[in-house]
Amino acid sequence: MATAPRHRRRPAGILAAGLLGVAALAGCSSEVAGTASPVASVSSPVPAPTTANPGAPEDLSAGLLPAEAFGPGTEVTPVTGEQLLAQQGQLGGGLGELADLTVTPPECAPAVEGVQPRLDDVTGLAAQTAQTGSTAVAEVLVAGPSVAGSLDDLDRSLADCPRATITAPQIGTATVTFTPLEVPDLGDGSAARTMTLSLTAPDGSPLTVPVQLGMALDGDRLVSLTVTDPAGGGSEDPAALGRLLQQAHDHQHTALD
């Protein structure tokens, strides 16, 4: 797949959600990643373009996975396109809460920020969160000329910067480590990584939370899945993301084409 030109990246909203979940386990925050928040608690679908709002992206919510795909007992919450764009792609935590986030070495910032889809030049958009116990899945479906670059960003994260240090007031200092995660070859390209967040709790005990990241490209559309379980201790099935990503890719392809 050809390498797409670079565009200005968005702040690491998905990363912020994961960090807030880690902070909650460490006793530093009252929020847990995936729990309903000002972004995830909204219940209306992505707004369709109207004469009053002609610039709104196309509603792609028909391409999102149905609730049953996430398993029994799952609470699925739609996220509006307006909220998603306003929060620059976050699902599960306000970016302002991690506004002082820094990445060391600085050259690793693009890899860290590239864990979420680009929202530049968006022509279509839909998103939802799915909560099953302590496991949260964020699904974003986006269309536009920059979506191929999102896949490239994720694919480069492991090669460019397998390990980085991040600092934010709520969590102190944490280490981010990217490791390979196998997913099926899908559509016009697919990639996945496990992003492991490691830090020390106030009582001195170590905390480790893996965040699984997967993306699949289908023409000018990209589906992105982020799975995190702050209480799971790394017990996630490595193959589960691949199966869910394939379902997400196939469902949007059938529903929207």
Side-chain angles (χ1 to χ4, degrees), residues 191-209:
R193 296 287 179 263
T194 295
M195 181 180 69
T196 302
L197 306 170
S198 303
L199 74 163
T200 302
D203 63 2
S205 61
L207 285 175
T208 302
V209 177

Side-chain angles (χ1 to χ4, degrees), residues 141-155:
L141 181 59
V142 60
S146 301
V147 296
S150 299
L151 186 66
D152 181 50
D153 289 342
L154 185 65
D155 207 28

Side-chain angles (χ1 to χ4, degrees), residues 27-53:
C28 304
S29 171
S30 61
E31 291 196 44
V32 176
T35 302
S37 69
V39 177
S41 62
V42 292
S43 57
S44 55
V46 175
T50 65
T51 54
N53 188 21

